[in-house]
Every structure is written in C-alpha cells, then in structure tokens.
C-alpha cells in the first residue's frame, strides 16, 4: 500500500547483492575512511592546539575527558549498529515499507536513550574522571570539558544514526558527508575559539557541540532524499524496540569493553605521571587517524553482509570476509611503515619529551602489528552484529578487555614499565583478533548450511535469523528469495 511519498532510492534489490564484492568493500570503506578520518584528524588537531597552550595538564585533561565520554559514545554506536543492520536486511529483502518503519523507530529510540544517558552521566562526571586517574588541574579542566560536551550527546547519537542508516542503503557518499561536514566545521572553528577568542579548552568543547549539530543537519537532509524519514508511531516504536535491543544491547556491551579497557589502561599510565597520560592521550588521538581505514572497513562489511543475507547470497558473504581480510593486511602494513619512519617528528610535533616521547615512539614501533589483529576482531564483530549473533561479539570484546588486557598489561607494567603496558595490549589483540576472524567465517558457513534445510510446512529454503528476528507484525517474509 502506498504511503503517499515518492519511491525511495533503495526501492528494488539492494545495491550490494550484485556486482564486485571487492569493489563494494573498497568503495564503502574508502568513503567511510574519508568521513571518519576527517573527524579523527580534527580531533588530533584539537589536541595539538591544546598542547600548544604549553601545559601538559591540559593535554592530559582532554584525553581523560575523551575516555569518560566514550562510554556514552559506545551506546550510540550500539544503536547505530542495530538500526543499520535491521534496515539493511529489510532493503536487501526488498521491503521498503519495513525499512522506513524501522528507521523512524530507531531515530526515536536513539534520541530518547542518548538524552537519558547524558543526563545520568553529567552529575557524576567528576567522580568518573577520578576513577580513571584524573587529579588536580587535569581533573578540573576535564570536568569542565564534559560539562559542556555531554549535553550534546543527543546530537551525536542522532548524527551517528543517520550515518548508519545511509550506509544501510548503500549511500556511502552521503554517509561520508555527514561526518566530513562536521569535521570541516571543526577544523575552522577550533583555532578561532581556542586561540582567537582565548577560550582554550572551553573553546575546544564548544566546537565539539557545533560539529555534532552539523552532523544532524547534513544527515537529516541526506535521509530525506532516500525517503527514509517519517514521523515515528508510538505503537511501532514499542513493537520495534525488542528487535533493536536484540542487536543494540549486545553491541553496546561490545563497544563498552574497549572503554573499560581504556579506562583501566589510563589508570595504569596515570601511575607514571602526567607526562605518561599526555603520551597516552596523543596515542589515543593518533591511532584513529592512522588506522581509521580499519574502523571504516568494519563499518563497510556490515551493510554488505546484511543485504546479501537478506537476499540469501551466502557465497557473496564469504567473499566479503575474504576481501576485508586482504584489505586489512595491506592497510595495516602500510600505516606501520609510516609510523616507524615518522615516530621522531610526530613526538616533537606534540611537544612530547622524556618518558612521554619514549612511550609514544615505542607505540609507533609495535602499533602496526597490534592494530592488524584489532582490525581482524573489528571484522568479526561487524559480522556477528549484522548476522544476528551480537552476543558473540560481546564475548570476544569483553574477553579481550579483561583476560586480554588486565593480566598482560599488569605484568608488562611490573616488568617493563609503561612500555610493557603497550606490549600487553598487543598480546590480547593477537589472540582475540584471530579468534574473531575464525568464528566469523564459521558463522557464515553455518548460516549457509542451515539455509539449505527445508522450512517446516513450506518446502523452501529459509534464512536463519540466529539471535535476531524482524519485528512481529511487520509484514516481512524471512524466507529465502
């Protein structure tokens, strides 16, 4: 039945169910890299601007605030993953009515959850900062930074949802511009407020809020072009919430694991003074810039897998995993070489000296290997979240955040100081990265095997939904097509 709107751009078969799998992977990850790395670059520039103020406590404060704030971001990521997975599957199956309904429900739920979370965290910001090792001036400045930026978590959550929904339709270019637009605003506004207006760290925080508002404006206009925007209906939001929660809940747990691990590692680094915290803050901001392609690859694999699952194309799902592994290896190796060659100049650029410079340069020497295996784990997590097995990604991520981080980091710290903390991180990445990839391949194979089994009373093949199902009463046929 017509809903009175022109047919959206995704009417018909999903974009990813035909054509070269490697091309889809490269286009999605390439455009995703531009948008993501634009954000990471300006984040890095913000830290660079703050470091130019000449006070290591300010640099440490921005890093500490980022650790706490990522707990809220992890929830937003989980909702984005859930919305993208469900909408991409509906598109792959050719059900545009269900896709619009799920998008509307996801937006309503995302705004509600992001607002509640920001309101709950704000009164306890100072206490949370103390738990990760903030003290003195660094604690005061980090608390001020969070007081300004946490309320804009609603804008961040909405912008991330728009990005995930656009990628679910296969519109990688517009998804890129959501984040790229905010990054451009940040690049211009940051120096004006930090130095021109003399606001320092407060200026950096205000810029964060403006950039998040930019995400929403661009994302809203882009989704309107696809016909995915309509008013949410309360009854549908309530009915769709369990399906969203089935993916978002485990996905949030998955993304909280790195936050918990980062908080633990920051606490360990804090034992070596503010210089060590400053070095860790630079590493945290440089890592997404250097390895942003790996984050983009994990984002690229989700919609491709989900659309092909909705279409019953398991051969293309297996090819997608293989293509992503090859891209991960080539990308991580190239970045590793650059980090090794530029480790000295980069340390000098951020004014790192003494123990801070040593710690940063050691990361450059080993970071490529660590992040190759992190990339494999990212691919596995994306596969589980989009194929109806999000609990598997939660178990793997929490395994790495606990067994793969705490014992080796403690041991490394005791034997080799702060460098040993980084080495300990590498051990967990290796073990859980390989495990994630192996389990992802097995999951796709098992889904393909089960799809060949007759559906009771139908005599046709069926797509197994694992731990996930479409909302009841949505009118979607989950049989193979």
């Amino acid at each position: 039945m017509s809903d009175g709107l022109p047919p959206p751009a995704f009417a018909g078969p999903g974009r990813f169910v035909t054509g070269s799998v490697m091309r889809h992977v490269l286009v999605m990850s390439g455009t995703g890299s531009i948008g993501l790395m634009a954000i990471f670059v300006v984040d890095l520039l913000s830290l660079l601007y703050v470091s130019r103020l000449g006070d290591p406590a300010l640099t440490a404060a921005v890093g500490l605030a980022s650790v706490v704030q990522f707990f809220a971001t992890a929830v937003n990521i989980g909702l984005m993953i859930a919305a993208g997975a469900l909408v991409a599957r509906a598109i792959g199956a050719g059900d545009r009515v269900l896709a619009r309904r799920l998008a509307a429900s996801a937006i309503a739920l995302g705004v509600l959850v992001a607002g509640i979370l920001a309101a709950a965290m704000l009164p306890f910001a100072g206490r949370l900062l103390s738990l990760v090792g903030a003290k003195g001036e660094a604690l005061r400045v980090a608390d001020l930074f969070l007081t300004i930026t946490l309320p804009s978590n609603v804008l961040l959550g909405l912008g991330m949802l728009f990005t995930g929904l656009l990628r679910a339709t296969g519109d990688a270019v517009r998804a890129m511009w959501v984040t790229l637009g905010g990054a451009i605003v940040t690049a211009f506004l940051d120096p004006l407020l930090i130095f021109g207006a003399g606001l320092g760290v407060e200026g950096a925080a205000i810029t964060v809020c403006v950039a998040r508002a930019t995400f929403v404006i661009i994302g809203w206009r882009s989704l309107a072009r696809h016909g995915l925007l309509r008013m949410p209906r309360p009854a549908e939001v309530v009915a769709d919430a369990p399906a969203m929660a089935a993916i978002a809940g485990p996905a949030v747990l998955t993304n909280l694991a790195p936050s918990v691990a980062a908080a633990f590692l920051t606490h360990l680094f804090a034992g070596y003074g503010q210089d060590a915290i400053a070095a860790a803050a630079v590493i945290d901001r440089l890592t997404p810039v250097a390895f942003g392609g790996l984050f983009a690859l994990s984002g690229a694999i989700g919609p491709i897998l989900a659309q092909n699952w909705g279409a019953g194309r398991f051969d293309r799902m297996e090819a997608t995993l293989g293509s992503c592994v090859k891209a991960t290896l080539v990308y991580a190796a190239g970045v590793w070489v650059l980090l090794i060659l530029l480790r000295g100049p980069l340390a000098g650029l951020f004014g790192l000296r003494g123990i801070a410079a040593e710690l940063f340069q050691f990361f450059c020497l080993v970071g490529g290997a660590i992040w190759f295996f992190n990339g494999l784990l990212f691919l596995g997590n994306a596969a589980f979240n989009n194929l109806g097995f999000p609990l598997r990604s939660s178990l793997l991520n929490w395994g790495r955040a606990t067994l793969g981080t705490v014992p080796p980091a403690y041991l490394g710290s005791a034997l080799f100081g702060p460098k040993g903390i980084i080495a300990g991180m590498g051990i967990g990445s290796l073990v859980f990265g390989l495990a994630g990839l192996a389990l992802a391949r097995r999951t796709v194979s098992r889904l393909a095997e089960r799809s060949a089994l007759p559906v009771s009373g139908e005599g046709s093949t069926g797509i197994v939904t694992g731990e996930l199902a479409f909302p009841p009463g949505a009118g979607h046929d989950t049989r193979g097509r």
Side-chain angles (χ1 to χ4, degrees), residues 313-409:
R313 292 299 306 273
F314 296 97
D315 56 324
R316 294 177 61 83
M317 292 164 67
E318 293 172 353
T320 299
L321 283 176
S323 297
C324 285
V325 172
K326 293 175 184 176
T328 298
L329 177 60
V330 172
Y331 183 89
V335 172
W336 194 4
V337 171
L338 289 177
L339 285 178
I340 292 172
L341 295 176
L342 298 176
R343 64 188 186 280
L346 286 172
L349 180 65
F350 287 92
L352 300 178
R353 293 178 291 274
I355 187 175
E358 292 179 13
L359 185 59
F360 175 78
Q361 292 190 43
F362 177 73
F363 168 79
C364 291
L365 291 173
V366 301
I370 293 174
W371 277 89
F372 167 68
F373 292 108
N374 280 342
L376 296 184
L377 181 57
F378 292 166
L379 295 179
N381 287 340
F384 301 137
N385 287 332
N386 285 274
L387 297 180
F389 298 93
L391 289 176
R392 296 183 182 180
S393 59
S394 296
L395 291 174
L396 282 171
N397 259 25
W398 278 99
R400 188 188 63 166
T402 53
L403 296 176
T405 299
V406 176

Side-chain angles (χ1 to χ4, degrees), residues 9-100:
F10 57 82
R15 178 175 299 182
F16 302 129
V17 301
T18 59
S20 167
V21 169
M22 179 60 86
R23 181 180 181 277
H24 289 318
V25 168
L26 293 179
V27 170
M28 287 290 285
S29 59
T31 52
S33 293
I34 295 172
L36 280 175
M37 292 179 71
I39 293 178
F40 297 147
V41 166
V42 294
D43 279 348
L44 189 64
L45 285 174
S46 295
L47 192 66
L48 176 62
Y49 295 145
V50 171
S51 71
R52 294 300 184 187
L53 296 174
D55 187 349
L58 299 181
T59 306
V62 174
L64 290 163
S66 298
V67 171
V68 171
Q69 194 158 235
F70 193 74
F71 283 91
T73 303
V75 176
N76 295 334
I77 292 173
L79 291 168
M80 177 187 70
I81 289 171
L86 288 171
V87 171
R89 284 176 56 193
I91 292 171
D95 194 336
R96 79 178 183 91
V97 175
L98 176 60
R100 296 184 71 236

Side-chain angles (χ1 to χ4, degrees), residues 82-95 98-99 102 168 243 247 302-303 305-311 385-389 463-470 476-478 481:
L86 288 171
V87 171
R89 284 176 56 193
I91 292 171
D95 194 336
L98 176 60
L102 290 169
I247 303 176
L305 286 174
Q307 282 197 15
N308 281 287
W309 186 29
N385 287 332
N386 285 274
L387 297 180
F389 298 93
I463 298 175
V464 179
T465 56
E467 300 160 11
L468 169 66
F470 281 106
H476 179 74
D477 185 354
T478 57
R481 303 189 176 196

Side-chain angles (χ1 to χ4, degrees), residues 127-178:
R127 189 174 302 176
L128 293 170
L129 289 165
S130 297
L131 289 175
V132 297
K135 300 175 183 177
E137 181 67 4
L139 173 59
R140 186 192 70 79
V141 175
D143 189 31
L144 175 62
F145 190 92
L146 287 178
T147 299
I148 297 171
T149 58
L150 267 179
S152 68
N153 183 58
V154 173
L155 298 175
L156 176 62
L158 196 53
M160 293 176 71
L161 273 173
F162 289 160
T163 302
L165 291 172
L166 285 168
R167 294 179 71 82
T169 69
D171 193 344
V173 174
R174 287 194 176 94
M176 173 192 73
W177 274 105
V178 174

